[in-house]
């Protein structure tokens, strides 16, 4: 375990990525790791990590319940939610209920088992820790930014969204929304509940008092605080569901600094309501300040700033998370995390900062102790900053200064000046070299000479020419040397960095008389005494030079891969035999130590080559990245490696001493403590710097490859995750919160973006810098939407293109000896008198030499290559070879035969002549058609002026739109093919259901009839109306009338009376149908006004509004016709009554049935009323009476009883069918028998309705007679069934004057024996038919059908009412039943036709009602009483009537 550590920076733009439990254990999400930090009032210490997430940690929360405070939960951008045991540092449970990145998470303060999380798509998931169950809700389709569980009601959760909406949901009711809190205009960054239940007034403001009025003290509600990007903090009443106060953030201008106009755009507003402080609220501000709001005050005294006692206590950038804890000594601490990469602890009592923990936002590329300032550790980090840490301070163990000025990329190299205290040189990823004075606040000095690539190594050493010429020893004590990725070493003058740096390669070449190009350099290291320089190269060679002229002493050729690091053994306190030890590390994982004492003390005349090491240190399983000699113990070396471990060696014994495995990922830097021989510091890919002791390590040697395998698997998995994230919806904006793209790229965790993605070996251009894992690559903050684009192609491995000359290429990759012999052979051919025997360049074994010989040899090589391509099926390559050789026609012919024509070949085809070009185009068109590229094929046909062929090609493949466009653009308007195309396209569109588009095609083709028909196929009102208008405009009169009538009827059925009249008004010939709809509207309006129909009118006319009571509907119809339609008995022409009636009689009117909807029934009834009024205008009394009877019959047979009764009332207010109109003094005089029968039938039904009205007004108790009549009534809609419904439903009309003694009631109409005879025979026929049907059914089943018991039980006892009282042996046979039905039908035939056509109400039913009334009313005459009894005795033979009449006939 490490002693001290600087952790990775907490993730940015997360609403809750840190939390602290009651024991003072702080958890912070950084990258995909959660760091555990033990906090106290005076200090803090990193105690462990929780590692398991694959994506960035987006949420973290501790369980705050006693006995379970060590359990915590975290969420990630990979959609996973993990439960952890922080004591054991292990995963307890894993949930994958989310399908999208999780953006918020919270552990309920009230329920110890409930954790709620929300993702970017708006899905909220409840996780139950004790059972492992989950429940998902989708309250709003919005992006969730934050959520918080109520501390007073376990089921209430507040959810904040990106668009400023806050929603309170009840998770116990499947996510039911309790309140929607609207007020914020931008992203909700944080939510905090009041720790106090109830909503007592916070202060004496009117708004607050109003908000809390009416809230009972017992309600479990409390205040909710929200922080938003709109720069306001709002306090909400959850009982009222609205805001009660708004806190506007003040802009606090820092001393001596100008106002940054963009600072308000980079706001993250976090709010925290500390426990036990219901009137105090903590919030962040614009520039990293923290504020304590006093909610009981108003004005400028409402807030207090944290850290005002001393300068520099506050954060310097925006704060993302805050959490508080009350320690055992009752000290309340607040922990905050910020974009400035610092974690601060505050005392809530004094509002002062207790301590600051610096964090790192990138790879630790460089780590070095100052040789002058003891314990001063410099860190070069990938977050574009340098940290200088005083590791020996006792007051603040994390005393760190940050340097960032002048640095715009990753800090990859550091080097302290060997003599001058505080002088620190640095190199960056963008090739910049500079020097900082760490004891000054001045910006750094930057060298004017930039490297082209990343600076990997910096070293201080004695000056070499030309800088050493003419300079005094005091002035030029040290020069700064830098080595970068391009392989160049530059010498900089510290006193004149503005001058040009010198390339030491010139000096090396001049001194050593080297003419060839030097190998690119990757590292350099001066011997401590400044007399010897060691330079590592890309080819694995190490060159040792003697200062100052850099004479080459020796070349160490031990490594075979790139040199990553070199270190000389320190001179102080070391025996002389160790002064010349040089340790080197490369990408081959072996550390070599060379003893160069003999070479240095006795320089040779010519350079030596060293091939054997002094010591070989084997154990690492990946490349060596850094090393350091112990300044305390002789020959002790520590090395850092890509295998994720640091190894301590005893060099002289070649023995492994200790192995450190505390990092998660590969190591990049290492240094030995200058004061403690047992302490070593390391930094790496995991964004951490760790201090550890050699004596406390469990392991001695590095792991045997296992850890490296795991690292490789992780590195391979991370890019996939990265690509997966790139597929998320939305595109990132160019700027987020006012920051530039480069700044936002590092937003989510504050880590830098790197495009390095290598394996163990690195190329010559980036020798020392290790590959940056894709975990380091930052996604956008949660405020930025994720991109929807395809994966970055640069991340995918590029496929090597196929060679055009594969034989030549393969022959140039033969063994080395053969390649050398090729050089001799080629030289003999080119320069010898005669070529070697059997050698023909471009042919056979010397095919590849055709590329280096004459043109004939080249053509021979082309021929061989063509044969190879044909054999392999690569005909495209053959075409290009022929093209290169000048055989254009042959190339085109071959491409045509093989189907390999391309746009490029077609573009060069005209060079071979018009005929060749034309044939090539036709062949290419066929090829494109086979490839289904029809548009492109048609375009090529146009190029050779084959227009009709292009049109046929497009139309044959159903590209009608393009074909029509081509015809209209290139051919005359009357071209016949155009109409054919429109017709074909219309047929296809009609078949696919695109009726509007098909209609346009028909119109364009001149087929207006078809256009109207196809639009009407939709059969809705708007389509029918459009089709009618289209038909009228195009002259299709009959079709227009038919469609307009269909549309009007549909609108009338929907009670859209105005629309129906408008549709018909465009057709003069449809006047009679307008009259029909006028009558239908008046009838519906009067029925609605009387209360028997519900109000459902979509639109109506003014003249249909309720009129005078007791006015006949016929009077109103006649008046409206005269005023609105100019139709009266004086009308002539098309408006003449004769013409209108004749046209209306041609309209089909079916017979009434019981299954027609009421709205349709009203239309049919109004049709007969329209005919009636027209007959009235013609003084045709007989026709008028028949139409009245038909109108009433429709509602009597197919409508409800109350509607039928009301129709009779509005037709004949006085109850007399002969009196049609008092206003127009119209009485009916029916002379023919049929009209008289119709009048008698109509009058009988009026009396029938009044009989029931009188009975219902006097009878509220006796239900037996009602039920009996209901079963015996021949017409269920006009008898007892309706009566029973009305009695039970309360449709009575009390107070109705009814007197049988007067002459206004003719009982003979209701008790007609003629109609009683007819009804008796009709009833007998129906009963016998039922018996016959039952007998036939039983007989068919008895013929062999095997019935299951259920069917037998269901069908066995089937009996008709006629035989229900008989024994089985008394049931009648088929012959007797046939005889009976014949007799009944014979009796019916003897009756007058008018009796059967114009029926009366059920006579037996009327008898029973009259007898019932006679018991309670003396108004029924004795003669009428006796007549009713006689009819019952004579015709009441069926059992229900017999049972009902027992009480009257006894």
């Amino acid at each position: 375990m490490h002693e001290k550590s600087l952790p990775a920076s907490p993730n940015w733009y997360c609403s809750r990525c840190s939390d602290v439990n009651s024991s003072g254990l702080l958890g912070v999400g950084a990258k995909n790791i959660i760091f555990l930090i033990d906090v106290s009032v005076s200090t803090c210490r990193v105690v462990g990590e929780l590692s398991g997430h694959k994506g960035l940690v987006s949420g973290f929360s501790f369980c705050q319940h006693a006995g379970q405070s060590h359990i915590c939960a975290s969420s990630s951008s990979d959609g996973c939610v993990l439960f952890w045991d922080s004591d054991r540092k292990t995963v307890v449970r894993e949930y994958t209920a989310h399908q999208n990145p999780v953006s918020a998470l919270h552990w309920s303060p009230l329920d110890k088992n409930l954790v709620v999380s929300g993702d970017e798509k708006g899905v909220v998931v409840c996780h139950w820790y004790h059972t492992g169950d989950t429940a998902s809700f989708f309250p709003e389709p919005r992006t969730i930014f934050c959520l918080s569980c109520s501390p007073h009601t376990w089921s209430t959760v507040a959810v904040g969204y990106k668009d400023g909406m806050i929603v309170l949901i009840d998770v116990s009711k499947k996510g039911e929304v309790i309140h929607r809190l609207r007020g914020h205009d931008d992203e909700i960054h944080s939510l905090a509940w009041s720790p106090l239940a109830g909503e007592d007034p916070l202060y004496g403001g009117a708004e607050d008092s109003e908000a809390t009025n009416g809230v009972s003290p017992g309600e479990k509600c409390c205040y909710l605080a929200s922080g938003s990007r709109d720069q306001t903090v709002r306090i909400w009443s959850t009982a009222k569901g609205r805001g009660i106060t708004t806190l506007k953030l003040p802009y606090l201008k820092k001393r001596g600094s100008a106002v940054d106009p963009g600072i308000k755009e980079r706001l993250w507003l976090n709010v925290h309501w500390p426990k036990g402080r219901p009137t105090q609220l903590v919030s962040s501000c614009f520039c990293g300040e923290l504020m304590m709001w006093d909610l009981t005050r108003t004005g400028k005294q409402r807030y207090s700033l944290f850290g005002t006692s001393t300068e520099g206590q506050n954060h310097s950038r925006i704060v993302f998370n805050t959490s508080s804890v009350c320690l055992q000594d009752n000290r309340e601490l607040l922990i905050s995390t910020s974009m400035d990469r610092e974690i601060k602890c505050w005392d809530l009592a004094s509002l002062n900062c207790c301590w600051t923990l610096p964090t790192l936002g990138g790879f630790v590329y460089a780590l070095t102790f100052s040789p002058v300032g003891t314990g001063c550790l410099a860190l070069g980090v990938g977050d574009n900053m340098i940290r200088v840490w005083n590791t020996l301070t006792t007051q603040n163990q994390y005393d760190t200064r940050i340097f960032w000025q002048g640095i715009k990329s990753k800090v990859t190299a550091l080097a302290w000046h060997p003599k001058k205290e505080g002088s620190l040189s640095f190199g960056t990823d963008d090739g910049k070299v500079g020097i900082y004075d760490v004891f000054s606040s001045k910006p750094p000095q930057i060298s004017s000479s930039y490297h082209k690539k990343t600076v990997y190594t910096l070293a201080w050493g004695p000056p070499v020419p030309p800088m050493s010429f003419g300079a005094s020893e005091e002035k030029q004590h040290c020069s700064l040397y830098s080595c970068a990725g391009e392989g160049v070493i530059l010498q900089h003058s510290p006193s004149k960095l503005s001058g040009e740096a010198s390339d030491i390669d010139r000096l090396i070449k001049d001194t050593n008389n080297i003419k060839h190009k030097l190998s690119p350099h990757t590292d350099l290291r001066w011997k401590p005494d400044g007399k010897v320089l060691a330079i590592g190269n890309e080819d694995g060679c190490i060159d040792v030079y003697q200062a100052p002229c850099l004479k080459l002493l020796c070349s160490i050729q031990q490594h075979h891969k790139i040199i990553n690091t070199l270190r000389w053994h320190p001179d102080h306190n070391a025996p002389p035999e160790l002064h010349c030890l040089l340790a080197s590390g490369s990408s081959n994982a072996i550390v070599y130590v060379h003893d160069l004492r003999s070479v240095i003390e006795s320089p040779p005349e010519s350079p030596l080559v060293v091939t054997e090491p002094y010591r070989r240190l084997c154990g690492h399983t990946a490349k060596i990245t850094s090393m350091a000699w112990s300044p305390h113990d002789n020959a002790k070396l520590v090395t850092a490696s890509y295998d994720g471990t640091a190894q301590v060696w005893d060099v002289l014994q070649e023995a492994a001493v200790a192995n450190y495995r505390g990092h998660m990922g590969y190591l990049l830097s290492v240094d030995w403590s200058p004061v403690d021989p047992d302490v070593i510091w390391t930094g790496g890919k995991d964004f951490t710097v760790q201090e550890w002791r050699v004596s406390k390590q469990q392991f001695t040697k590095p792991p045997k490859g296992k850890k490296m395998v795991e690292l490789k698997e992780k590195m391979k998995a991370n890019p996939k995750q990265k690509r997966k994230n790139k597929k998320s919806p939305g595109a990132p904006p160019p700027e987020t919160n006012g920051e530039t793209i480069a700044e936002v790229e590092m937003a989510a965790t504050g880590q830098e973006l790197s495009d390095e993605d290598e394996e163990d070996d690195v190329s010559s251009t980036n020798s020392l810098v290790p590959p940056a894992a894709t975990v380091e690559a930052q996604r956008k903050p949660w405020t930025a939407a994720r991109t929807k684009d395809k994966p970055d192609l640069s991340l995918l491995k590029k496929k090597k293109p196929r060679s055009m000359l594969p034989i030549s290429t393969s022959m140039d990759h033969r063994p080395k000896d053969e390649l050398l012999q090729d050089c001799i052979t080629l030289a003999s051919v080119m320069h010898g008198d005669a070529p070697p025997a059997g050698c023909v360049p471009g042919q056979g074994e010397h095919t590849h030499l055709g590329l280096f010989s004459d043109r004939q040899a080249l053509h021979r090589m082309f021929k061989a290559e063509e044969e190879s391509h044909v054999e392999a099926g690569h005909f495209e390559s053959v075409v290009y070879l022929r093209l290169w050789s000048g055989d254009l026609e042959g190339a085109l012919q071959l491409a045509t035969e093989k189907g390999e024509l391309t746009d490029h070949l077609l573009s060069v085809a005209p060079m071979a002549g018009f005929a060749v070009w034309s044939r090539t185009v036709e062949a290419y068109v066929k090829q494109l058609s086979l490839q289904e590229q029809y548009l492109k094929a048609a375009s090529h046909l146009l190029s050779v002026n084959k227009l009709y062929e292009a049109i046929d090609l497009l139309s044959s493949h159903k590209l009608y739109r393009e074909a029509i466009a081509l015809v209209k653009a290139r051919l005359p308007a009357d071209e016949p093919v155009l109409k054919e195309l429109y017709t074909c396209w219309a047929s296809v569109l009609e078949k696919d259901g695109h009726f509007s588009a098909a209609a346009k095609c028909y119109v364009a083709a001149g087929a207006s009839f078809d256009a109207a028909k196809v639009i009407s196929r939709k059969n809705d009102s708007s389509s029918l109306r459009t089709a009618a208008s289209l038909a009228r405009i195009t002259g299709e009169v009959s079709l227009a009338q038919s469609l307009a009538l269909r549309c009007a009827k549909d609108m009338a059925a929907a009670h859209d009376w105005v629309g129906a009249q408008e549709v018909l008004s465009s057709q003069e010939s449809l006047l009679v149908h307008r009259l029909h709809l006028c009558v239908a509207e008046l009838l519906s309006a009067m029925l609605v006004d009387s209360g028997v129909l519900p109000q459902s009118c979509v639109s109506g006319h003014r003249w249909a509004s309720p009129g005078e009571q007791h006015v006949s509907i016929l009077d109103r119809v006649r008046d409206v016709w005269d005023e609105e339609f100019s139709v009266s008995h004086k009308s002539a022409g098309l408006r003449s009554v004769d013409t209108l009636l004749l046209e209306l009689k041609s309209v089909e009117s079916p017979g009434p049935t019981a299954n027609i909807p009421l709205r349709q029934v009203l239309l049919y009834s109004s049709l007969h009323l329209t005919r009636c009024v027209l007959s009235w205008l013609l003084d045709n009394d007989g026709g008028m009476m028949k139409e009245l009877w038909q109108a009433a019959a429709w509602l009597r047979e197919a409508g409800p009883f109350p509607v039928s009764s009301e129709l009779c009332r509005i037709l004949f207010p006085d109850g007399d069918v002969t009196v049609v109109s008092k206003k127009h003094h119209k009485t009916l005089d029916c002379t023919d028998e049929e009209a008289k029968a119709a009048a008698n039938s109509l009058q009988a039904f009026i009396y029938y309705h009044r009989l029931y009205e009188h009975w219902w007004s006097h009878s509220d108790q006796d239900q037996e007679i009602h039920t009996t009549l209901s079963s015996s009534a021949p017409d269920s809609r006009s008898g007892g069934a309706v009566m029973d419904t009305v009695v039970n439903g309360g449709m009575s009309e009390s107070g109705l004057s009814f007197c049988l003694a007067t002459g206004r009631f003719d009982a003979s109409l209701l008790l007609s024996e003629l109609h009683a005879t007819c009804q008796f025979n009709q009833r007998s026929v129906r009963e016998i038919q039922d018996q016959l049907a039952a007998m036939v059914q039983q007989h068919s089943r008895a013929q062999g059908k095997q019935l299951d018991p259920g069917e037998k039980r269901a069908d066995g006892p089937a009996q008709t009412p006629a035989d229900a009282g008989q024994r089985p042996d008394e049931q009648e046979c088929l012959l007797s039943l046939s005889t009976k039905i014949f007799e009944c039908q014979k009796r019916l035939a003897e009756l007058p036709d008018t009796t059967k056509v114009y029926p009366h109400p059920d006579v037996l039913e009327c008898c029973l009602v009259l007898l019932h009334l006679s018991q309670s009313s003396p108004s029924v005459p004795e003669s009428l009483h006796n007549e009713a009894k006689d009819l019952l005795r004579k015709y009441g033979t069926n059992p229900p009537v017999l049972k009902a009449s027992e009480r009257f006939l006894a």
Side-chain angles (χ1 to χ4, degrees), residues 713 1082 1217:
E713 290 177 354
L1082 285 169
V1217 297

Side-chain angles (χ1 to χ4, degrees), residues 1256-1267:
W1256 293 338
S1257 63
H1258 289 80
S1259 177
D1260 298 327
Q1261 301 172 354
D1262 194 350
Q1263 298 295 322
E1264 180 185 353
I1265 185 71
H1266 296 179
T1267 307

Side-chain angles (χ1 to χ4, degrees), residues 929-972:
S929 298
L930 292 175
Q931 298 170 357
E932 298 184 0
Q933 299 185 46
Y934 307 116
L935 293 176
K936 190 174 181 181
S939 301
H940 283 296
L941 283 173
L942 293 177
S943 68
V944 291
N945 202 26
K946 294 191 175 185
L947 177 60
Y948 286 98
E949 288 82 350
I951 295 171
D952 290 340
L953 176 65
L954 293 174
S955 61
S956 63
H957 293 95
K958 297 186 179 181
L959 297 173
Y960 297 107
R961 187 186 300 273
E962 291 76 8
I964 291 171
L966 182 57
V967 172
K968 293 183 75 68
R970 300 289 289 270
L971 294 175

